[in-house]
Amino acid sequence: MPVTDSIADYITRIRNAGRAKNKTTDIPYSKLRENISELLVAKGYIKSFTVITTEQFPFIRVDLKYSALGEPAIREITRVSKPGRRVYQGKDIRKYLGGLGLYILSSSKGIITDKEAREQGVGGEILFRIY
């Protein structure tokens, strides 16, 4: 079944796997999802990811990160810009939760965080927020 919003599907799979305390989750591959996974690894929200190619279709295996008490590293992950209502932000991007969380943006510089966008002086579409 085709997915109309691949980012929402990615977010939902990670959120559901975290709530179910799964160690890994498999997500259908796309270059955008790979770039988002790289950013989440760099920011410490997921442990690692691997792109696996099969005969049918490639997918991304995401290794989720948990605290010593077993709590998921991702407490909240929510889609902001949706297919029916796109949300764009200029250079003056506000901080999410006073800097505790992140906005993930799609900009002319690629997939970046709100902090990187402020430093580079660029805006873009706010894909989702994560805490």
Side-chain angles (χ1 to χ4, degrees), residues 2-35:
V3 176
T4 57
D5 186 6
S6 67
I7 297 170
D9 179 59
Y10 177 88
I11 289 169
T12 301
R13 287 174 188 254
I14 288 180
R15 183 186 317 115
N16 289 346
R19 287 183 180 163
K21 306 282 191 220
N22 294 341
K23 292 183 180 181
T24 64
T25 184
D26 293 341
I27 301 168
Y29 176 84
S30 76
K31 187 67 178 170
L32 176 64
R33 290 174 177 177
E34 182 180 8
N35 292 339

Side-chain angles (χ1 to χ4, degrees), residues 32 35 38-39 91 93 105-113 115-125 127:
L32 176 64
N35 292 339
E38 287 174 3
L39 184 66
K91 296 177 184 178
I93 299 169
L105 288 86
S106 174
S107 72
S108 58
K109 306 283 186 182
I111 304 296
I112 58 175
T113 65
K115 182 179 178 183
E116 293 166 348
R118 280 190 299 275
E119 289 171 356
Q120 297 176 14
V122 296
E125 180 181 0
L127 300 177

Side-chain angles (χ1 to χ4, degrees), residues 78-116:
T78 310
R79 183 82 157 110
V80 175
S81 184
K82 301 174 184 178
R85 182 178 178 266
R86 298 293 183 187
V87 178
Y88 296 95
Q89 190 69 43
K91 296 177 184 178
D92 56 338
I93 299 169
R94 64 193 182 279
K95 293 180 180 180
Y96 179 55
L97 293 176
L100 294 176
L102 295 175
Y103 283 116
I104 306 299
L105 288 86
S106 174
S107 72
S108 58
K109 306 283 186 182
I111 304 296
I112 58 175
T113 65
D114 55 346
K115 182 179 178 183
E116 293 166 348

